[in-house]
């Protein structure tokens, strides 16, 4: 597929931004992204950006995918979040055995998947596969999906853990529990998934140990360099990117608000003439730009190693995670600064800035944004300690 096809998707997404902005209240009220928004994203080709070409995908540059997500999130945080986490799943499905890929896309290449990767389920080894049971939380966009990817620990007959896998299940094998009542990212429909003693064939599983080594059986059918990048680089980027996009939208809203605002406490002074306000937006914009620039630069660096057929150094992979968690924090700090300077009217229900503040802080508590763990790993590696590459 040509870059022109990818650019067509980006252009189509940008055309939808005013609509997504207008629907932000509706998404919060429904507690899920409106079906019309998902359909419109599908029509642009967005969900095919990271999908294999043999299943009508674009195999696009991940930076283009992140750019589209960033733009959507700038208009509506919940829609941006769901588009990101649902839109990245085709990348992982491409690593599964061909049998699993065919089951997902063989009849309908528009099939979507949600996920919940925390290993809160239990799988036991059986003939030809595994018996899986458990309950998983925070499966964003699950109501718009026909399959799910679930993390689970694998136990042998002696009750010992022998692997950590991703299990792929069709809609008939799990129930969705409507539990999503949150103050931030409230339109993401991140409900619980319940599985009760379901058989999952071996081909529909993927070991996280193998994934951590940038390998997967699906690479035999999908040899693109896209599918040789680290899982934890690609997937954690899908968590930080919407937060950066939310910050960009908040920044634009704040600047527009300040240009119209007068400050009664300061004798009717125009807020835009306040030199301290000018300094604040300069700092906020720099933090947002830095978060985005590092995310893009790090992915580009990994792509260069893959293109040369070289193994990505562990230090580089750890740097990706270092800058990813700090990037999320930079974007949130920028929103906090802008929100504090926006005046009481920004607190009104329905205003974009207060929603951005709530959504960004909700995104901050995602496990991928745990800064201490990622930063400790980077620092420990710098000191010469052994680090498990499977986690990064």
């Amino acid at each position: 597929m040509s870059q022109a096809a990818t650019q067509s998707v980006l252009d189509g997404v940008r055309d939808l931004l005013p609509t997504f902005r207008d629907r932000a209240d509706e998404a919060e009220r429904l507690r899920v992204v409106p079906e019309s928004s998902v359909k419109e994203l599908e029509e642009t080709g967005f969900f095919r950006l990271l999908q294999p070409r043999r299943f009508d995908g674009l195999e696009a540059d991940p930076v283009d995918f992140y750019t589209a997500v960033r733009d959507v999130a700038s208009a509506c945080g919940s829609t941006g979040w769901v588009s990101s986490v649902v839109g990245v799943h085709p990348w992982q499905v491409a690593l599964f055995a061909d049998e699993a890929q065919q089951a997902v896309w063989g009849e309908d290449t528009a099939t979507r998947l949600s996920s919940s990767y925390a290993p809160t389920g239990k799988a036991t080894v059986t003939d030809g596969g595994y018996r899986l049971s458990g309950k998983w939380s925070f499966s964003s966009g699950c109501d718009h999906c026909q399959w799910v990817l679930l993390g689970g620990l694998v136990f042998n007959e002696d009750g010992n853990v022998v692997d950590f896998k991703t299990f792929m299940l069709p809609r008939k094998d799990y129930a969705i529990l409507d539990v999503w009542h949150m103050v931030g990212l409230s339109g993401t429909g991140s409900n619980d998934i319940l599985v009760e003693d379901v058989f999952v064939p071996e081909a529909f599983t993927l070991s996280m140990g193998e994934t951590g080594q940038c390998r997967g059986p699906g690479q035999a059918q999908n040899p693109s360099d896209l599918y040789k990048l680290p899982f934890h680089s690609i997937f954690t980027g899908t968590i930080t990117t919407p937060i950066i996009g939310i910050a960009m939208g908040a920044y634009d809203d704040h600047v527009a608000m300040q240009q119209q605002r007068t400050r009664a406490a300061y004798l009717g002074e125009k807020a835009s003439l306040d030199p301290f306000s000018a300094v604040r937006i300069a700092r906020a914009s720099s933090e947002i730009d830095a978060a985005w620039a590092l995310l893009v630069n790090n992915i580009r660096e990994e792509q260069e190693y893959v293109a040369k057929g070289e193994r990505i150094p562990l230090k580089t992979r750890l740097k990706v995670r270092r800058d990813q968690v700090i990037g999320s924090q930079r974007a949130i700090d920028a929103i906090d600064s802008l929100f504090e300077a926006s005046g009481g009217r920004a607190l009104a229900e329905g205003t974009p800035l207060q929603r951005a503040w709530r959504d960004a802080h909700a995104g901050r508590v995602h496990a991928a944004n745990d800064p201490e763990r990622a930063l400790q790993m980077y620092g420990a590696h710098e000191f010469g300690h052994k680090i498990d590459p499977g986690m990064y």
Side-chain angles (χ1 to χ4, degrees), residues 70-376:
R70 180 200 67 186
D71 291 347
V72 174
S74 73
C76 173
S78 289
T79 306
W81 187 273
V82 168
S83 68
S84 192
V85 298
V86 172
V88 77
H89 292 144
W91 183 91
Q92 189 185 21
V93 175
L95 298 178
F96 276 77
D98 186 50
E99 180 183 345
Q101 296 179 55
Q102 295 290 345
V104 173
W105 291 315
E107 295 184 3
D108 183 4
T109 57
T111 299
R112 293 185 294 270
L113 304 89
S114 67
S115 68
S116 182
Y117 290 103
T120 56
K122 179 179 179 179
T124 53
V125 179
T126 188
D127 290 342
Y130 307 86
R131 304 298 305 188
L132 181 68
S133 295
K135 185 170 74 171
W136 290 258
S137 297
F138 313 125
S139 188
S140 300
C142 57
D143 290 295
H144 299 297
C145 299
Q146 298 79 44
W147 288 72
V148 70
L149 297 159
L150 300 171
L153 298 176
V154 179
F155 294 81
N156 62 15
E157 294 179 353
D158 298 326
N160 298 317
V161 175
V162 293
D163 205 350
F164 173 18
K165 282 181 170 270
T166 298
F167 297 84
M168 187 159 63
L169 283 71
R171 184 65 184 83
K172 66 180 179 63
D173 286 345
Y174 61 92
I176 296 174
L177 307 180
D178 186 1
V179 298
W180 190 248
H181 299 271
M182 302 294 175
V183 298
L185 293 174
S186 52
T188 61
S190 302
N191 287 308
D192 288 358
I193 302 295
L194 180 65
V195 175
E196 297 181 303
D197 193 28
V198 168
F199 174 71
V200 182
E202 178 69 40
F204 289 72
T205 72
L206 194 62
S207 172
M208 293 301 287
E210 189 174 27
T211 305
Q213 299 173 34
C214 301
R215 295 189 296 110
Q219 289 173 337
Q221 295 80 35
N222 306 308
S224 167
D225 285 354
L226 170 64
Y227 304 115
K228 298 172 185 176
L229 292 165
F231 172 92
H232 286 93
S233 297
I234 294 295
F235 272 67
T236 58
T238 67
I239 299 304
T240 292
T241 296
I243 297 175
I244 295 173
I246 291 168
M248 288 181 170
Y251 178 85
D252 290 341
D253 289 327
H254 173 79
V255 171
M257 182 187 300
Q258 296 304 94
Q259 288 173 321
Q260 302 297 321
R261 179 185 171 210
T262 58
R263 306 179 71 182
Y266 293 90
L267 303 177
E269 175 189 76
K270 287 188 175 181
S272 62
L273 296 177
D274 180 359
F276 301 109
S277 293
V279 169
R280 191 181 289 258
I281 65 169
R283 290 185 180 279
S285 63
S286 180
E287 291 296 288
I288 297 168
D289 287 349
W292 177 248
L294 285 170
L295 186 148
V296 171
N297 181 72
N298 287 337
I299 290 294
R300 289 280 181 251
E301 186 175 333
E302 290 188 323
Q303 287 175 307
E304 289 175 5
Y305 283 107
V306 172
K308 292 184 290 186
E310 298 178 5
R311 183 177 181 181
I312 301 171
L314 179 56
K315 179 173 181 176
T316 299
R317 294 171 64 172
L318 292 169
K319 184 177 71 169
V320 171
R321 289 284 283 121
R322 178 198 72 186
D323 294 339
Q324 175 258 315
V325 295
I326 292 178
S328 292
Q329 193 59 58
R330 277 187 160 129
I332 293 168
D333 288 346
I335 294 173
D336 286 349
S337 177
L338 298 173
F339 188 56
E340 290 167 5
S342 292
R345 295 189 185 280
L347 292 168
E349 291 184 0
T351 58
L353 197 55
Q354 56 82 24
R355 181 183 299 112
W357 187 89
R358 290 185 287 110
D359 287 347
H361 280 273
R364 165 64 182 81
V365 300
H366 189 281
N369 284 325
D370 181 354
E372 289 79 13
R373 188 173 299 277
L375 299 181
Q376 185 275 332

Side-chain angles (χ1 to χ4, degrees), residues 38-58:
V38 176
K39 181 180 180 181
E40 288 159 353
L41 280 169
E42 176 65 45
E43 290 171 349
T44 69
F46 169 82
F47 293 111
R48 298 175 186 269
L49 283 171
L50 300 183
Q51 193 160 310
R53 290 176 181 171
R54 69 196 192 104
F55 293 113
D56 300 328
L58 298 179

